[in-house]
């Protein structure tokens, strides 16, 4: 349920950005949004990692299981990298 709520919120943000309703009219708003997106990326990385571990315990091997786990692991790594890049951008903004 939490993942759905977060996904819905991000989907609304994307719609607002595409429609021109989301505007960053002050540098502080950009910094705040960067912080919030970094938090979201960190949370995604954590949750995907935990899901991968849970699935590994629930299901036994096989090539599809290994491929799925590898893909989930890569997704978690990607989210971790995104969070790090967002934090770096935020530091540069002061």
């Amino acid at each position: 349920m939490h993942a759905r709520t977060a996904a819905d919120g991000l989907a609304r943000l994307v719609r607002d950005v595409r429609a021109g309703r989301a505007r960053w009219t002050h540098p502080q708003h950009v910094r705040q949004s960067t912080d919030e997106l970094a938090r979201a990326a960190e949370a995604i990385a954590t949750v995907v990692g935990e899901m991968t571990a849970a699935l590994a315990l629930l299901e036994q091997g096989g090539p599809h299981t290994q491929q799925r786990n590898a893909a989930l692991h890569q997704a978690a790594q990607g989210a971790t990298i995104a969070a790090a890049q967002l934090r770096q951008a935020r530091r540069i903004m002061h």
Side-chain angles (χ1 to χ4, degrees):
M1 184 58 110
H2 295 297
R4 180 180 301 153
T5 301
D8 289 346
L10 288 172
R12 279 191 305 278
L13 174 60
V14 169
R15 282 193 306 271
D16 287 350
V17 167
R18 288 182 177 160
R21 289 187 299 269
R23 299 209 174 130
W24 293 273
T25 57
H26 190 276
Q28 179 58 31
H29 300 152
V30 175
R31 288 190 291 270
Q32 183 178 3
S33 293
T34 302
D35 287 338
E36 292 165 354
L37 289 172
R39 286 181 44 219
E42 289 170 349
I44 290 168
T46 300
V47 170
V48 171
E50 292 296 320
M51 286 181 356
T52 304
L55 284 171
L57 293 174
L58 294 173
E59 297 176 351
Q60 303 219 333
H64 293 301
T65 301
Q66 292 171 354
Q67 290 172 346
R68 181 209 54 223
N69 288 351
L72 286 169
H73 180 70
Q74 286 179 337
Q77 285 180 322
T80 299
I81 291 167
Q85 293 296 318
L86 285 162
R87 283 193 304 274
Q88 180 179 354
R90 176 59 179 92
R91 281 191 298 273
I92 293 168
M93 287 181 220
H94 300 298

PDB file of all heavy atoms in Angstrom, residues 57-93:
ATOM      1  N   LEU A  57      14.287 -15.769  -0.123  1.00  0.00           N
ATOM      2  CA  LEU A  57      13.926 -16.691   0.941  1.00  0.00           C
ATOM      3  C   LEU A  57      12.662 -17.482   0.615  1.00  0.00           C
ATOM      4  O   LEU A  57      12.512 -18.633   1.027  1.00  0.00           O
ATOM      5  CB  LEU A  57      13.730 -15.940   2.256  1.00  0.00           C
ATOM      6  CG  LEU A  57      14.972 -15.305   2.864  1.00  0.00           C
ATOM      7  CD1 LEU A  57      14.591 -14.462   4.080  1.00  0.00           C
ATOM      8  CD2 LEU A  57      15.992 -16.368   3.240  1.00  0.00           C
ATOM      9  N   LEU A  58      11.752 -16.874  -0.118  1.00  0.00           N
ATOM     10  CA  LEU A  58      10.473 -17.505  -0.410  1.00  0.00           C
ATOM     11  C   LEU A  58      10.544 -18.506  -1.555  1.00  0.00           C
ATOM     12  O   LEU A  58       9.804 -19.483  -1.576  1.00  0.00           O
ATOM     13  CB  LEU A  58       9.419 -16.437  -0.748  1.00  0.00           C
ATOM     14  CG  LEU A  58       9.023 -15.502   0.389  1.00  0.00           C
ATOM     15  CD1 LEU A  58       8.124 -14.399  -0.142  1.00  0.00           C
ATOM     16  CD2 LEU A  58       8.344 -16.287   1.504  1.00  0.00           C
ATOM     17  N   GLU A  59      11.409 -18.228  -2.512  1.00  0.00           N
ATOM     18  CA  GLU A  59      11.464 -19.061  -3.708  1.00  0.00           C
ATOM     19  C   GLU A  59      12.847 -19.681  -3.839  1.00  0.00           C
ATOM     20  O   GLU A  59      13.844 -19.088  -3.471  1.00  0.00           O
ATOM     21  CB  GLU A  59      11.153 -18.221  -4.947  1.00  0.00           C
ATOM     22  CG  GLU A  59       9.761 -17.644  -4.930  1.00  0.00           C
ATOM     23  CD  GLU A  59       9.507 -16.745  -6.128  1.00  0.00           C
ATOM     24  OE1 GLU A  59      10.449 -16.444  -6.872  1.00  0.00           O
ATOM     25  OE2 GLU A  59       8.353 -16.341  -6.294  1.00  0.00           O
ATOM     26  N   GLN A  60      12.868 -20.859  -4.404  1.00  0.00           N
ATOM     27  CA  GLN A  60      14.138 -21.521  -4.607  1.00  0.00           C
ATOM     28  C   GLN A  60      14.643 -21.254  -6.005  1.00  0.00           C
ATOM     29  O   GLN A  60      13.870 -20.922  -6.894  1.00  0.00           O
ATOM     30  CB  GLN A  60      13.964 -23.010  -4.365  1.00  0.00           C
ATOM     31  CG  GLN A  60      13.422 -23.251  -2.971  1.00  0.00           C
ATOM     32  CD  GLN A  60      14.049 -24.441  -2.319  1.00  0.00           C
ATOM     33  OE1 GLN A  60      14.468 -25.333  -2.997  1.00  0.00           O
ATOM     34  NE2 GLN A  60      14.110 -24.429  -1.018  1.00  0.00           N
ATOM     35  N   GLY A  61      15.948 -21.407  -6.207  1.00  0.00           N
ATOM     36  CA  GLY A  61      16.701 -21.129  -7.423  1.00  0.00           C
ATOM     37  C   GLY A  61      15.995 -21.317  -8.746  1.00  0.00           C
ATOM     38  O   GLY A  61      14.786 -21.347  -8.844  1.00  0.00           O
ATOM     39  N   GLY A  62      16.776 -21.454  -9.759  1.00  0.00           N
ATOM     40  CA  GLY A  62      16.278 -21.541 -11.116  1.00  0.00           C
ATOM     41  C   GLY A  62      16.738 -20.335 -11.897  1.00  0.00           C
ATOM     42  O   GLY A  62      16.979 -19.271 -11.322  1.00  0.00           O
ATOM     43  N   PRO A  63      16.861 -20.499 -13.201  1.00  0.00           N
ATOM     44  CA  PRO A  63      17.400 -19.397 -14.008  1.00  0.00           C
ATOM     45  C   PRO A  63      16.526 -18.139 -13.987  1.00  0.00           C
ATOM     46  O   PRO A  63      17.042 -17.021 -13.952  1.00  0.00           O
ATOM     47  CB  PRO A  63      17.504 -19.980 -15.411  1.00  0.00           C
ATOM     48  CG  PRO A  63      16.661 -21.206 -15.404  1.00  0.00           C
ATOM     49  CD  PRO A  63      16.584 -21.674 -13.985  1.00  0.00           C
ATOM     50  N   HIS A  64      15.211 -18.307 -13.977  1.00  0.00           N
ATOM     51  CA  HIS A  64      14.336 -17.125 -13.963  1.00  0.00           C
ATOM     52  C   HIS A  64      14.441 -16.386 -12.637  1.00  0.00           C
ATOM     53  O   HIS A  64      14.422 -15.155 -12.606  1.00  0.00           O
ATOM     54  CB  HIS A  64      12.885 -17.508 -14.252  1.00  0.00           C
ATOM     55  CG  HIS A  64      12.666 -17.998 -15.640  1.00  0.00           C
ATOM     56  ND1 HIS A  64      12.939 -17.240 -16.747  1.00  0.00           N
ATOM     57  CD2 HIS A  64      12.209 -19.187 -16.106  1.00  0.00           C
ATOM     58  CE1 HIS A  64      12.668 -17.931 -17.833  1.00  0.00           C
ATOM     59  NE2 HIS A  64      12.228 -19.123 -17.477  1.00  0.00           N
ATOM     60  N   THR A  65      14.548 -17.133 -11.561  1.00  0.00           N
ATOM     61  CA  THR A  65      14.693 -16.520 -10.236  1.00  0.00           C
ATOM     62  C   THR A  65      15.990 -15.728 -10.169  1.00  0.00           C
ATOM     63  O   THR A  65      16.016 -14.597  -9.669  1.00  0.00           O
ATOM     64  CB  THR A  65      14.662 -17.597  -9.138  1.00  0.00           C
ATOM     65  OG1 THR A  65      13.430 -18.301  -9.219  1.00  0.00           O
ATOM     66  CG2 THR A  65      14.800 -16.986  -7.757  1.00  0.00           C
ATOM     67  N   GLN A  66      17.061 -16.314 -10.675  1.00  0.00           N
ATOM     68  CA  GLN A  66      18.356 -15.629 -10.658  1.00  0.00           C
ATOM     69  C   GLN A  66      18.317 -14.377 -11.525  1.00  0.00           C
ATOM     70  O   GLN A  66      18.856 -13.337 -11.138  1.00  0.00           O
ATOM     71  CB  GLN A  66      19.458 -16.574 -11.120  1.00  0.00           C
ATOM     72  CG  GLN A  66      19.714 -17.695 -10.138  1.00  0.00           C
ATOM     73  CD  GLN A  66      20.657 -18.752 -10.695  1.00  0.00           C
ATOM     74  OE1 GLN A  66      21.031 -18.703 -11.863  1.00  0.00           O
ATOM     75  NE2 GLN A  66      21.035 -19.699  -9.857  1.00  0.00           N
ATOM     76  N   GLN A  67      17.682 -14.470 -12.684  1.00  0.00           N
ATOM     77  CA  GLN A  67      17.571 -13.307 -13.565  1.00  0.00           C
ATOM     78  C   GLN A  67      16.748 -12.203 -12.905  1.00  0.00           C
ATOM     79  O   GLN A  67      17.096 -11.025 -12.966  1.00  0.00           O
ATOM     80  CB  GLN A  67      16.951 -13.699 -14.907  1.00  0.00           C
ATOM     81  CG  GLN A  67      17.857 -14.538 -15.763  1.00  0.00           C
ATOM     82  CD  GLN A  67      17.135 -15.062 -17.005  1.00  0.00           C
ATOM     83  OE1 GLN A  67      15.907 -15.005 -17.093  1.00  0.00           O
ATOM     84  NE2 GLN A  67      17.903 -15.569 -17.953  1.00  0.00           N
ATOM     85  N   ARG A  68      15.656 -12.603 -12.292  1.00  0.00           N
ATOM     86  CA  ARG A  68      14.800 -11.626 -11.607  1.00  0.00           C
ATOM     87  C   ARG A  68      15.560 -10.956 -10.478  1.00  0.00           C
ATOM     88  O   ARG A  68      15.544  -9.739 -10.333  1.00  0.00           O
ATOM     89  CB  ARG A  68      13.546 -12.302 -11.060  1.00  0.00           C
ATOM     90  CG  ARG A  68      12.622 -11.307 -10.366  1.00  0.00           C
ATOM     91  CD  ARG A  68      11.777 -11.898  -9.261  1.00  0.00           C
ATOM     92  NE  ARG A  68      12.565 -12.590  -8.276  1.00  0.00           N
ATOM     93  CZ  ARG A  68      12.223 -13.772  -7.750  1.00  0.00           C
ATOM     94  NH1 ARG A  68      11.128 -14.385  -8.137  1.00  0.00           N
ATOM     95  NH2 ARG A  68      12.976 -14.340  -6.835  1.00  0.00           N
ATOM     96  N   ASN A  69      16.252 -11.751  -9.663  1.00  0.00           N
ATOM     97  CA  ASN A  69      17.007 -11.180  -8.551  1.00  0.00           C
ATOM     98  C   ASN A  69      18.105 -10.250  -9.042  1.00  0.00           C
ATOM     99  O   ASN A  69      18.350  -9.204  -8.451  1.00  0.00           O
ATOM    100  CB  ASN A  69      17.583 -12.287  -7.677  1.00  0.00           C
ATOM    101  CG  ASN A  69      16.512 -12.995  -6.867  1.00  0.00           C
ATOM    102  OD1 ASN A  69      15.367 -12.575  -6.818  1.00  0.00           O
ATOM    103  ND2 ASN A  69      16.882 -14.089  -6.242  1.00  0.00           N
ATOM    104  N   ALA A  70      18.755 -10.621 -10.132  1.00  0.00           N
ATOM    105  CA  ALA A  70      19.802  -9.770 -10.702  1.00  0.00           C
ATOM    106  C   ALA A  70      19.202  -8.449 -11.187  1.00  0.00           C
ATOM    107  O   ALA A  70      19.779  -7.374 -10.970  1.00  0.00           O
ATOM    108  CB  ALA A  70      20.522 -10.480 -11.837  1.00  0.00           C
ATOM    109  N   ALA A  71      18.042  -8.518 -11.832  1.00  0.00           N
ATOM    110  CA  ALA A  71      17.385  -7.305 -12.320  1.00  0.00           C
ATOM    111  C   ALA A  71      16.957  -6.410 -11.157  1.00  0.00           C
ATOM    112  O   ALA A  71      17.133  -5.183 -11.207  1.00  0.00           O
ATOM    113  CB  ALA A  71      16.179  -7.664 -13.190  1.00  0.00           C
ATOM    114  N   LEU A  72      16.422  -7.005 -10.107  1.00  0.00           N
ATOM    115  CA  LEU A  72      16.034  -6.222  -8.933  1.00  0.00           C
ATOM    116  C   LEU A  72      17.256  -5.603  -8.265  1.00  0.00           C
ATOM    117  O   LEU A  72      17.231  -4.448  -7.837  1.00  0.00           O
ATOM    118  CB  LEU A  72      15.262  -7.092  -7.935  1.00  0.00           C
ATOM    119  CG  LEU A  72      13.829  -7.444  -8.332  1.00  0.00           C
ATOM    120  CD1 LEU A  72      13.261  -8.511  -7.407  1.00  0.00           C
ATOM    121  CD2 LEU A  72      12.950  -6.209  -8.328  1.00  0.00           C
ATOM    122  N   HIS A  73      18.327  -6.361  -8.190  1.00  0.00           N
ATOM    123  CA  HIS A  73      19.562  -5.843  -7.608  1.00  0.00           C
ATOM    124  C   HIS A  73      20.070  -4.646  -8.413  1.00  0.00           C
ATOM    125  O   HIS A  73      20.476  -3.629  -7.845  1.00  0.00           O
ATOM    126  CB  HIS A  73      20.620  -6.944  -7.541  1.00  0.00           C
ATOM    127  CG  HIS A  73      21.915  -6.496  -6.957  1.00  0.00           C
ATOM    128  ND1 HIS A  73      22.061  -6.188  -5.618  1.00  0.00           N
ATOM    129  CD2 HIS A  73      23.112  -6.271  -7.529  1.00  0.00           C
ATOM    130  CE1 HIS A  73      23.298  -5.808  -5.406  1.00  0.00           C
ATOM    131  NE2 HIS A  73      23.966  -5.848  -6.544  1.00  0.00           N
ATOM    132  N   GLN A  74      20.030  -4.754  -9.723  1.00  0.00           N
ATOM    133  CA  GLN A  74      20.459  -3.638 -10.573  1.00  0.00           C
ATOM    134  C   GLN A  74      19.553  -2.425 -10.390  1.00  0.00           C
ATOM    135  O   GLN A  74      20.026  -1.280 -10.397  1.00  0.00           O
ATOM    136  CB  GLN A  74      20.499  -4.061 -12.037  1.00  0.00           C
ATOM    137  CG  GLN A  74      21.666  -4.963 -12.359  1.00  0.00           C
ATOM    138  CD  GLN A  74      21.671  -5.395 -13.816  1.00  0.00           C
ATOM    139  OE1 GLN A  74      20.635  -5.392 -14.483  1.00  0.00           O
ATOM    140  NE2 GLN A  74      22.835  -5.773 -14.299  1.00  0.00           N
ATOM    141  N   ALA A  75      18.258  -2.663 -10.230  1.00  0.00           N
ATOM    142  CA  ALA A  75      17.331  -1.553  -9.992  1.00  0.00           C
ATOM    143  C   ALA A  75      17.667  -0.855  -8.678  1.00  0.00           C
ATOM    144  O   ALA A  75      17.664   0.378  -8.609  1.00  0.00           O
ATOM    145  CB  ALA A  75      15.890  -2.061  -9.974  1.00  0.00           C
ATOM    146  N   ALA A  76      17.976  -1.624  -7.648  1.00  0.00           N
ATOM    147  CA  ALA A  76      18.350  -1.036  -6.362  1.00  0.00           C
ATOM    148  C   ALA A  76      19.646  -0.238  -6.492  1.00  0.00           C
ATOM    149  O   ALA A  76      19.763   0.866  -5.943  1.00  0.00           O
ATOM    150  CB  ALA A  76      18.500  -2.117  -5.300  1.00  0.00           C
ATOM    151  N   GLN A  77      20.602  -0.771  -7.229  1.00  0.00           N
ATOM    152  CA  GLN A  77      21.852  -0.042  -7.453  1.00  0.00           C
ATOM    153  C   GLN A  77      21.603   1.262  -8.197  1.00  0.00           C
ATOM    154  O   GLN A  77      22.186   2.297  -7.868  1.00  0.00           O
ATOM    155  CB  GLN A  77      22.845  -0.897  -8.237  1.00  0.00           C
ATOM    156  CG  GLN A  77      23.496  -1.985  -7.421  1.00  0.00           C
ATOM    157  CD  GLN A  77      24.468  -2.796  -8.261  1.00  0.00           C
ATOM    158  OE1 GLN A  77      24.224  -3.069  -9.434  1.00  0.00           O
ATOM    159  NE2 GLN A  77      25.569  -3.179  -7.658  1.00  0.00           N
ATOM    160  N   GLY A  78      20.742   1.208  -9.206  1.00  0.00           N
ATOM    161  CA  GLY A  78      20.410   2.415  -9.960  1.00  0.00           C
ATOM    162  C   GLY A  78      19.779   3.477  -9.077  1.00  0.00           C
ATOM    163  O   GLY A  78      20.106   4.665  -9.182  1.00  0.00           O
ATOM    164  N   ALA A  79      18.883   3.067  -8.198  1.00  0.00           N
ATOM    165  CA  ALA A  79      18.240   4.019  -7.285  1.00  0.00           C
ATOM    166  C   ALA A  79      19.263   4.591  -6.301  1.00  0.00           C
ATOM    167  O   ALA A  79      19.215   5.782  -5.975  1.00  0.00           O
ATOM    168  CB  ALA A  79      17.091   3.344  -6.546  1.00  0.00           C
ATOM    169  N   THR A  80      20.198   3.755  -5.857  1.00  0.00           N
ATOM    170  CA  THR A  80      21.253   4.227  -4.953  1.00  0.00           C
ATOM    171  C   THR A  80      22.126   5.265  -5.645  1.00  0.00           C
ATOM    172  O   THR A  80      22.465   6.308  -5.071  1.00  0.00           O
ATOM    173  CB  THR A  80      22.112   3.046  -4.460  1.00  0.00           C
ATOM    174  OG1 THR A  80      21.267   2.145  -3.741  1.00  0.00           O
ATOM    175  CG2 THR A  80      23.240   3.504  -3.564  1.00  0.00           C
ATOM    176  N   ILE A  81      22.476   4.999  -6.894  1.00  0.00           N
ATOM    177  CA  ILE A  81      23.281   5.945  -7.671  1.00  0.00           C
ATOM    178  C   ILE A  81      22.515   7.248  -7.882  1.00  0.00           C
ATOM    179  O   ILE A  81      23.069   8.343  -7.735  1.00  0.00           O
ATOM    180  CB  ILE A  81      23.720   5.318  -9.005  1.00  0.00           C
ATOM    181  CG1 ILE A  81      24.732   4.209  -8.739  1.00  0.00           C
ATOM    182  CG2 ILE A  81      24.290   6.367  -9.955  1.00  0.00           C
ATOM    183  CD1 ILE A  81      25.011   3.319  -9.943  1.00  0.00           C
ATOM    184  N   ALA A  82      21.231   7.130  -8.201  1.00  0.00           N
ATOM    185  CA  ALA A  82      20.411   8.335  -8.393  1.00  0.00           C
ATOM    186  C   ALA A  82      20.377   9.168  -7.114  1.00  0.00           C
ATOM    187  O   ALA A  82      20.515  10.397  -7.156  1.00  0.00           O
ATOM    188  CB  ALA A  82      18.997   7.956  -8.822  1.00  0.00           C
ATOM    189  N   ALA A  83      20.207   8.512  -5.971  1.00  0.00           N
ATOM    190  CA  ALA A  83      20.181   9.238  -4.699  1.00  0.00           C
ATOM    191  C   ALA A  83      21.510   9.941  -4.450  1.00  0.00           C
ATOM    192  O   ALA A  83      21.531  11.106  -4.033  1.00  0.00           O
ATOM    193  CB  ALA A  83      19.865   8.282  -3.551  1.00  0.00           C
ATOM    194  N   ALA A  84      22.605   9.260  -4.728  1.00  0.00           N
ATOM    195  CA  ALA A  84      23.927   9.859  -4.523  1.00  0.00           C
ATOM    196  C   ALA A  84      24.130  11.070  -5.439  1.00  0.00           C
ATOM    197  O   ALA A  84      24.668  12.099  -5.008  1.00  0.00           O
ATOM    198  CB  ALA A  84      25.023   8.824  -4.758  1.00  0.00           C
ATOM    199  N   GLN A  85      23.696  10.948  -6.677  1.00  0.00           N
ATOM    200  CA  GLN A  85      23.838  12.063  -7.615  1.00  0.00           C
ATOM    201  C   GLN A  85      22.963  13.251  -7.204  1.00  0.00           C
ATOM    202  O   GLN A  85      23.372  14.406  -7.326  1.00  0.00           O
ATOM    203  CB  GLN A  85      23.491  11.609  -9.038  1.00  0.00           C
ATOM    204  CG  GLN A  85      24.473  10.606  -9.608  1.00  0.00           C
ATOM    205  CD  GLN A  85      25.859  11.207  -9.772  1.00  0.00           C
ATOM    206  OE1 GLN A  85      26.008  12.333 -10.205  1.00  0.00           O
ATOM    207  NE2 GLN A  85      26.865  10.445  -9.420  1.00  0.00           N
ATOM    208  N   LEU A  86      21.765  12.968  -6.721  1.00  0.00           N
ATOM    209  CA  LEU A  86      20.897  14.039  -6.242  1.00  0.00           C
ATOM    210  C   LEU A  86      21.503  14.731  -5.021  1.00  0.00           C
ATOM    211  O   LEU A  86      21.481  15.959  -4.919  1.00  0.00           O
ATOM    212  CB  LEU A  86      19.506  13.497  -5.907  1.00  0.00           C
ATOM    213  CG  LEU A  86      18.632  13.181  -7.114  1.00  0.00           C
ATOM    214  CD1 LEU A  86      17.485  12.266  -6.727  1.00  0.00           C
ATOM    215  CD2 LEU A  86      18.116  14.461  -7.750  1.00  0.00           C
ATOM    216  N   ARG A  87      22.073  13.951  -4.097  1.00  0.00           N
ATOM    217  CA  ARG A  87      22.719  14.556  -2.924  1.00  0.00           C
ATOM    218  C   ARG A  87      23.917  15.408  -3.343  1.00  0.00           C
ATOM    219  O   ARG A  87      24.134  16.496  -2.807  1.00  0.00           O
ATOM    220  CB  ARG A  87      23.150  13.476  -1.939  1.00  0.00           C
ATOM    221  CG  ARG A  87      22.002  12.917  -1.113  1.00  0.00           C
ATOM    222  CD  ARG A  87      22.485  12.101   0.059  1.00  0.00           C
ATOM    223  NE  ARG A  87      23.357  11.013  -0.333  1.00  0.00           N
ATOM    224  CZ  ARG A  87      22.970   9.801  -0.719  1.00  0.00           C
ATOM    225  NH1 ARG A  87      21.681   9.511  -0.738  1.00  0.00           N
ATOM    226  NH2 ARG A  87      23.837   8.886  -1.045  1.00  0.00           N
ATOM    227  N   GLN A  88      24.679  14.918  -4.334  1.00  0.00           N
ATOM    228  CA  GLN A  88      25.814  15.693  -4.820  1.00  0.00           C
ATOM    229  C   GLN A  88      25.345  17.009  -5.441  1.00  0.00           C
ATOM    230  O   GLN A  88      25.911  18.071  -5.181  1.00  0.00           O
ATOM    231  CB  GLN A  88      26.623  14.904  -5.842  1.00  0.00           C
ATOM    232  CG  GLN A  88      27.813  15.658  -6.380  1.00  0.00           C
ATOM    233  CD  GLN A  88      28.609  14.854  -7.377  1.00  0.00           C
ATOM    234  OE1 GLN A  88      28.350  13.683  -7.601  1.00  0.00           O
ATOM    235  NE2 GLN A  88      29.572  15.485  -8.009  1.00  0.00           N
ATOM    236  N   ALA A  89      24.304  16.940  -6.258  1.00  0.00           N
ATOM    237  CA  ALA A  89      23.750  18.161  -6.862  1.00  0.00           C
ATOM    238  C   ALA A  89      23.291  19.126  -5.776  1.00  0.00           C
ATOM    239  O   ALA A  89      23.521  20.342  -5.877  1.00  0.00           O
ATOM    240  CB  ALA A  89      22.604  17.815  -7.800  1.00  0.00           C
ATOM    241  N   ARG A  90      22.668  18.588  -4.752  1.00  0.00           N
ATOM    242  CA  ARG A  90      22.166  19.433  -3.650  1.00  0.00           C
ATOM    243  C   ARG A  90      23.321  20.129  -2.936  1.00  0.00           C
ATOM    244  O   ARG A  90      23.244  21.303  -2.605  1.00  0.00           O
ATOM    245  CB  ARG A  90      21.343  18.579  -2.689  1.00  0.00           C
ATOM    246  CG  ARG A  90      20.845  19.310  -1.457  1.00  0.00           C
ATOM    247  CD  ARG A  90      19.966  20.487  -1.839  1.00  0.00           C
ATOM    248  NE  ARG A  90      19.482  21.149  -0.674  1.00  0.00           N
ATOM    249  CZ  ARG A  90      20.081  22.183  -0.069  1.00  0.00           C
ATOM    250  NH1 ARG A  90      21.217  22.649  -0.514  1.00  0.00           N
ATOM    251  NH2 ARG A  90      19.540  22.744   0.982  1.00  0.00           N
ATOM    252  N   ARG A  91      24.426  19.409  -2.697  1.00  0.00           N
ATOM    253  CA  ARG A  91      25.583  20.015  -2.043  1.00  0.00           C
ATOM    254  C   ARG A  91      26.153  21.155  -2.884  1.00  0.00           C
ATOM    255  O   ARG A  91      26.561  22.184  -2.347  1.00  0.00           O
ATOM    256  CB  ARG A  91      26.670  18.965  -1.788  1.00  0.00           C
ATOM    257  CG  ARG A  91      26.403  18.100  -0.579  1.00  0.00           C
ATOM    258  CD  ARG A  91      27.615  17.267  -0.210  1.00  0.00           C
ATOM    259  NE  ARG A  91      27.997  16.332  -1.250  1.00  0.00           N
ATOM    260  CZ  ARG A  91      27.523  15.112  -1.412  1.00  0.00           C
ATOM    261  NH1 ARG A  91      26.597  14.671  -0.574  1.00  0.00           N
ATOM    262  NH2 ARG A  91      27.942  14.330  -2.378  1.00  0.00           N
ATOM    263  N   ILE A  92      26.162  20.973  -4.183  1.00  0.00           N
ATOM    264  CA  ILE A  92      26.689  21.997  -5.072  1.00  0.00           C
ATOM    265  C   ILE A  92      25.804  23.249  -5.048  1.00  0.00           C
ATOM    266  O   ILE A  92      26.292  24.369  -5.172  1.00  0.00           O
ATOM    267  CB  ILE A  92      26.840  21.439  -6.511  1.00  0.00           C
ATOM    268  CG1 ILE A  92      27.935  20.367  -6.523  1.00  0.00           C
ATOM    269  CG2 ILE A  92      27.153  22.543  -7.500  1.00  0.00           C
ATOM    270  CD1 ILE A  92      27.971  19.546  -7.790  1.00  0.00           C
ATOM    271  N   MET A  93      24.510  23.060  -4.838  1.00  0.00           N
ATOM    272  CA  MET A  93      23.581  24.199  -4.799  1.00  0.00           C
ATOM    273  C   MET A  93      23.775  25.072  -3.571  1.00  0.00           C
ATOM    274  O   MET A  93      23.384  26.218  -3.572  1.00  0.00           O
ATOM    275  CB  MET A  93      22.129  23.701  -4.791  1.00  0.00           C
ATOM    276  CG  MET A  93      21.652  23.159  -6.085  1.00  0.00           C
ATOM    277  SD  MET A  93      19.928  22.643  -5.879  1.00  0.00           S
ATOM    278  CE  MET A  93      19.919  21.133  -6.806  1.00  0.00           C
TER     279      MET A  93
END
